Amino acid sequence: MSMLVDALTSALRTDVIFDKVQYPSSVICCTVPQEKFSEAAKVLKMAYALLAAEWASDETLFGRGFSVFACYRWGKEYLIVRAELSADNPEFPTLTKRYLPAYRFERQIQSLMGIKPEGHPDMRPWIKFEDWPQDVFPLRKTFDASKPMLRVKGEYQWARADGEGVYEIPVGPVHAGIIEPGHFRFQAVGEMVVNLEERLGYVHKGIEKKFESLSWNEGVRLAGRVSGDTTVAHSIAYSIAVESMTGCILSERAHWLRALFLERERLANHLGDIGAICNDAAFAFMLYQLSRLRELLLRTNHKLFGHRFIMDRVVPGGVTVDLDDQGKKDILSELDIVSRDFEKLIVIYDETPSLEDRVIDTGILKPKRARELCVVGIVARASGMNLDCRLFNPFPPYDQHDRLELAVPVKVTGDVNARVWIRIEEIRESIRLIRYILENIPGGPISTDMRMPEPDSAGFSAVEGWRGEIIYWLQAGPKGEINRCMVRDPSSVNWLGLERAITGNIVPDFPLCNKSFNQSYSGHDL
Amino acid sequence: MIRILRQIFRTGIVTEPLPASAEDEIKLVGTKLEETIRKRFSRSLTIRQVDAGSCNGCELEIHAINNAYYNCERFGIHFTASPRFADMLLVTGPVTHNMEIALRRTYNATPPPKLVVAVGDCGCNGGIFGESYASLGGIDKVIPVNIVIPGCPPTPIALLNGILKAVS
Ligand code: SF4
């Protein structure tokens, strides 16, 4: 039996009821009484679990009230703890005393689902702006999403810092570069940042609600547009969750092709990121060189798969494009150029003192902090946390460890430089993986037929995109339609890490720190 | 330093070794663009990009027209940080409820005459996000639009073509 389940059952005993409708079977879901929701968190925290996600679902269509869910991760295990809440007065005990990321998860639950986290210290809305009507809860079934919303009067309450010489710098939502919108408010003394408060939600497009009006097959197109730079990983995560609910077994080839797309996405984004980070440290040379390599990859993608970002090529049941021998050759010769030039550039990165001066010891997220914040992906690995779903919760084909071996880099300094080096090493690893995939990819069909999920069943998936772990949780309604689709982009947790990492740095280093995190606004705001 | 120089010289100008068809296309669009920009904007077209709610896919391709292959600066196109200097707004995404006011403000801060180009399927009509409580749909729902560039996301060539269309 699993460690987390053991810990929970020995503490709460008969209060724990196991759910039979959660797929895949490796992910266990259990229901606890509402008042024990936070106690369960306490027990699991003592068992070293991290909080991966927290969300709510409106289950009134089943004749029940609401449910709140918390997903915990420890090593290879995921455990979902659920509590049923009443329909008229839904509330649950907050987890913020045990887990920091619950701060934003619960503000979001309160804002969009209208469920009160009892005892939460900060009840300001999140994503929902002050000019939304108070009683609008878009994720509730009674809400009509098709109509535009009215605007009301209201003002966001910012955190304040007082004292001699403290001043405030508001930035955004429209930023100076070609990037997504968000608002940052710095409190600074001289050049030093005392506090940074993020305010996000500008690109909230109602994605989770939109899923509920789509069919299972249409949903994957939307998943591919949650965050355009992570289109492959999001569509894989969505597809795996659906497939787990329907018992659909994919051909080996489809799995390997997905892995190929996923690694190419990682490669292209990491190359672009390293260039952009150096550019923010006034070293534009790297940006131009690395975006040249990135462009090569995108062109090959376009030629072989018909889309520069390989959007819409992963669907439930498999993939829609195959790879022939000529395609393999194209990729191999492209990789030769990319890896040769990349290695030369890394020597330059490593040996340029002016760059070193900017990136080393800047924007430190200490390992202890990183753990408290339960961050994921590159940010976590640069701060000493050994996490990677490809290794610890392997989805196929990464579960074939004997064949698709994977080295996961971990650094402990937690600064900009560490986040760059994680990317450098992952690029090398992805190049190696792609070469291996091309050599060993099994034959067979690329897609399989899929039946539709059973009513009231739920599917879960965790996929390592280039930013980090992406979680999908899907629930089928009474007629077998999508009742709820919860998307947890890595950015939903990592944004908190940036707030902590910038404190004590100088204001001009903010763009650099921000780039080294490079979180998605769209994936966070949904 | 020696390494940097060596890498720069070894790389050369990558605009040259493009596949023939793409190269022709870029040249074709580029020459026309350059001409029009020279005539109408005294050699420099300044663009302010605004993300009004996109998924970030469109932004990546707008970045790409700045890379060494497309190198849009050579045609006189450059991006500015402030709408006050802009001749053109390049707007992506369905306009979200939460970005509507910021988009209007940016539009009002841009001095006339101003061109507005809506980028991507979302910018044209809201794309997959459509119209809902959170998304108002295409850019033209909020500010007047001169030209649309469809695609999800539009390729860099399509973007250059669209900009050309807007300035001609
Ligand atoms: S058009 Fe496509 S790439 Fe552009 S914002 Fe919309 S979904 Fe994203």
Side-chain angles (χ1 to χ4, degrees):
Chain A
M1 241 217 200
S2 91
M3 273 281 297
L4 295 183
V5 174
D6 275 354
L8 196 64
T9 43
S10 58
L12 300 184
R13 298 186 182 277
T14 51
D15 278 340
V16 182
I17 300 162
F18 290 94
D19 208 330
K20 302 239 162 18
V21 292
Q22 175 69 52
Y23 298 98
S25 53
S26 57
V27 177
I28 293 167
C29 177
C30 52
T31 304
V32 300
Q34 172 190 359
E35 65 281 3
K36 296 277 168 76
F37 191 62
S38 140
E39 203 179 319
K42 186 176 161 196
V43 172
L44 293 168
K45 174 134 197 186
M46 286 196 313
Y48 298 106
L50 296 170
L51 182 66
E54 194 181 358
W55 68 97
S57 170
D58 182 339
E59 299 183 341
T60 45
L61 293 183
F62 300 106
R64 304 192 287 260
F66 294 87
S67 281
V68 62
F69 299 82
C71 174
Y72 301 90
R73 177 191 341 100
W74 182 82
K76 293 185 180 206
E77 291 173 32
Y78 284 92
L79 171 67
I80 301 175
V81 176
R82 164 175 179 263
E84 275 193 37
L85 316 175
S86 76
D88 345 307
N89 186 23
E91 53 180 43
F92 63 96
T94 177
L95 305 188
T96 46
K97 288 193 192 76
R98 325 270 175 228
Y99 286 105
L100 289 181
Y103 267 83
R104 287 208 178 146
F105 290 145
E106 290 179 4
R107 280 172 75 183
Q108 200 164 329
I109 293 174
Q110 149 92 6
S111 302
L112 303 181
M113 191 66 98
I115 298 179
K116 194 168 168 216
E118 197 58 54
H120 193 296
D122 179 2
M123 296 293 269
R124 291 174 299 165
W126 187 245
I127 292 175
K128 180 179 190 165
F129 278 11
E130 70 290 340
D131 62 1
W132 295 25
Q134 282 284 320
D135 56 347
V136 160
F137 300 117
L139 290 179
R140 286 198 177 183
K141 291 289 160 193
T142 46
F143 179 77
D144 177 8
S146 62
K147 294 208 185 75
M149 265 186 313
L150 299 170
R151 282 188 198 277
V152 298
K153 266 203 158 28
E155 205 179 324
Y156 192 72
Q157 299 299 320
W158 293 95
R160 297 255 161 223
D162 296 318
E164 204 179 329
V166 178
Y167 65 102
E168 218 173 56
I169 315 173
V171 184
V174 180
H175 297 299
I178 306 176
I179 53 169
E180 300 180 85
H183 188 100
F184 302 106
R185 196 160 286 212
F186 301 92
Q187 264 99 31
V189 175
E191 286 222 302
M192 197 190 73
V193 179
V194 182
N195 187 42
L196 160 66
E197 190 176 0
E198 297 157 354
R199 191 187 179 211
L200 304 170
Y202 288 91
V203 283
H204 176 71
K205 297 182 271 294
I207 292 179
E208 286 186 327
K209 186 71 178 181
K210 182 84 191 174
F211 271 113
E212 294 169 20
S213 66
L214 300 177
S215 73
W216 295 96
N217 283 328
E218 286 163 352
V220 73
R221 283 196 71 230
L222 185 58
R225 284 160 180 79
V226 166
S227 176
D229 47 32
T230 321
T231 174
V232 172
H234 270 279
S235 30
I236 295 181
Y238 173 87
S239 301
I240 292 184
V242 181
E243 287 150 9
S244 76
M245 295 163 84
T246 58
C248 175
I249 309 281
L250 259 62
S251 74
E252 276 292 299
R253 187 172 182 82
H255 282 312
W256 283 66
L257 282 168
R258 281 182 181 182
L260 172 69
F261 300 162
L262 190 66
E263 295 308 327
R264 289 187 67 79
E265 180 170 86
R266 192 179 322 277
L267 201 54
N269 279 297
H270 280 356
L271 285 172
D273 268 8
I274 299 174
I277 294 169
C278 295
N279 190 47
D280 276 345
F283 197 57
F285 163 78
M286 287 288 269
L287 174 69
Y288 288 101
Q289 290 288 341
L290 288 169
S291 21
R292 177 174 67 87
L293 302 185
R294 180 183 148 86
E295 179 70 22
L296 285 179
L297 290 168
L298 300 186
R299 287 182 176 205
T300 319
N301 286 349
H302 188 76
K303 182 172 165 211
L304 300 180
F305 311 120
H307 194 288
R308 286 164 54 94
F309 304 143
I310 328 186
M311 214 175 233
D312 299 333
R313 300 303 183 258
V314 174
V315 292
V319 294
T320 59
V321 278
D322 207 345
L323 182 71
D324 56 15
D325 284 339
Q326 184 53 41
K328 279 187 197 170
K329 275 196 207 116
D330 287 350
I331 296 182
L332 284 175
S333 58
E334 162 227 75
L335 283 186
D336 285 341
I337 303 175
V338 170
S339 89
R340 188 196 63 207
D341 280 13
F342 177 71
E343 290 305 331
K344 289 209 174 86
L345 292 168
I346 292 318
V347 177
I348 296 175
Y349 172 84
D350 210 24
E351 291 185 355
T352 306
S354 62
L355 198 55
E356 223 168 74
D357 185 48
R358 294 292 304 278
V359 294
I360 292 180
D361 284 345
T362 306
I364 298 179
L365 182 66
K366 294 224 171 75
K368 188 164 162 269
R369 256 304 146 83
R371 224 194 121 77
E372 278 169 9
L373 294 170
C374 303
V375 293
V376 297
I378 27 179
V379 173
R381 291 193 282 280
S383 294
M385 291 167 78
N386 189 3
L387 296 177
D388 191 321
C389 306
R390 288 175 296 169
L391 197 64
F392 293 109
N393 174 49
F395 47 96
Y398 300 96
D399 51 352
Q400 306 172 12
H401 290 309
D402 46 331
R403 303 189 60 191
L404 216 61
E405 218 185 315
L406 182 76
V408 175
V410 177
K411 308 268 169 221
V412 291
T413 47
D415 54 1
V416 172
N417 189 41
R419 287 186 282 278
V420 170
W421 273 101
I422 294 286
R423 287 177 169 98
I424 293 175
E425 285 174 24
E426 289 189 5
I427 286 176
R428 292 179 178 148
E429 190 62 7
S430 287
I431 293 180
R432 192 187 65 76
L433 278 178
I434 295 176
R435 287 200 174 116
Y436 185 85
I437 291 172
L438 292 179
E439 218 171 279
N440 296 287
I441 187 166
I446 56 166
S447 71
T448 322
D449 282 340
M450 194 188 68
R451 58 183 178 84
M452 290 302 124
E454 294 289 319
D456 208 1
S457 60
F460 173 93
S461 68
V463 163
E464 191 77 16
W466 65 272
R467 276 197 187 90
E469 171 201 55
I470 296 168
I471 295 180
Y472 270 71
W473 182 82
L474 289 163
Q475 183 181 40
K479 296 197 199 80
E481 78 286 13
I482 302 182
N483 185 61
R484 178 87 168 90
C485 174
M486 188 283 296
V487 184
R488 215 259 15 238
D489 190 81
S491 315
S492 308
V493 277
N494 285 359
W495 272 115
L496 272 173
L498 177 64
E499 270 189 5
R500 294 280 64 86
I502 189 70
T503 314
N505 284 262
I506 56 171
V507 180
D509 272 343
F510 176 70
L512 182 62
C513 294
N514 190 17
K515 253 289 136 23
S516 74
F517 275 76
N518 194 11
Q519 296 308 314
S520 164
Y521 296 71
S522 182
H524 167 279
D525 301 350
L526 296 176
Chain B
M1 196 65 204
I2 267 299
R3 278 218 177 81
I4 300 180
L5 291 175
R6 199 182 296 143
Q7 175 71 16
I8 291 176
F9 286 123
R10 226 178 33 82
T11 309
I13 297 173
V14 286
T15 327
E16 290 299 317
L18 272 180
S21 61
E23 169 70 351
D24 289 348
E25 238 179 304
I26 297 179
K27 262 209 190 120
L28 209 71
V29 186
T31 332
K32 280 197 210 139
L33 253 177
E34 207 177 350
E35 229 176 77
T36 327
I37 291 175
R38 192 179 329 120
K39 268 200 232 129
R40 304 205 171 179
F41 292 87
S42 358
R43 289 206 203 115
S44 127
L45 173 74
T46 308
I47 302 180
R48 168 73 244 218
Q49 195 268 332
V50 185
D51 176 345
S54 93
C55 77
N56 200 27
C58 286
E59 272 65 32
L60 294 179
E61 293 297 47
I62 295 175
H63 267 295
I65 65 172
N66 276 307
N67 77 25
Y69 282 100
Y70 303 98
N71 187 10
C72 67
E73 293 245 359
R74 69 188 148 141
F75 309 131
I77 299 174
H78 62 263
F79 287 81
T80 169
S82 164
R84 304 223 182 256
F85 310 130
D87 302 309
M88 176 189 282
L89 292 180
L90 200 59
V91 194
T92 60
V95 185
T96 60
H97 179 89
N98 290 351
M99 267 307 282
E100 183 192 357
I101 297 174
L103 177 61
R104 274 188 210 282
R105 280 195 192 145
T106 312
Y107 180 77
N108 291 335
T110 314
K114 43 194 162 191
L115 290 167
V116 176
V117 177
V119 176
D121 289 350
C122 295
C124 297
N125 56 21
I128 192 167
F129 306 105
E131 287 174 32
S132 70
Y133 76 99
S135 154
L136 308 183
I139 310 297
D140 59 354
K141 288 271 157 36
V142 180
I143 55 174
V145 168
N146 299 88
I147 290 285
V148 295
I149 309 178
C152 185
T155 57
I157 290 282
L159 284 168
L160 287 175
N161 259 321
I163 295 173
L164 171 66
K165 218 156 95 195
V167 294
S168 327

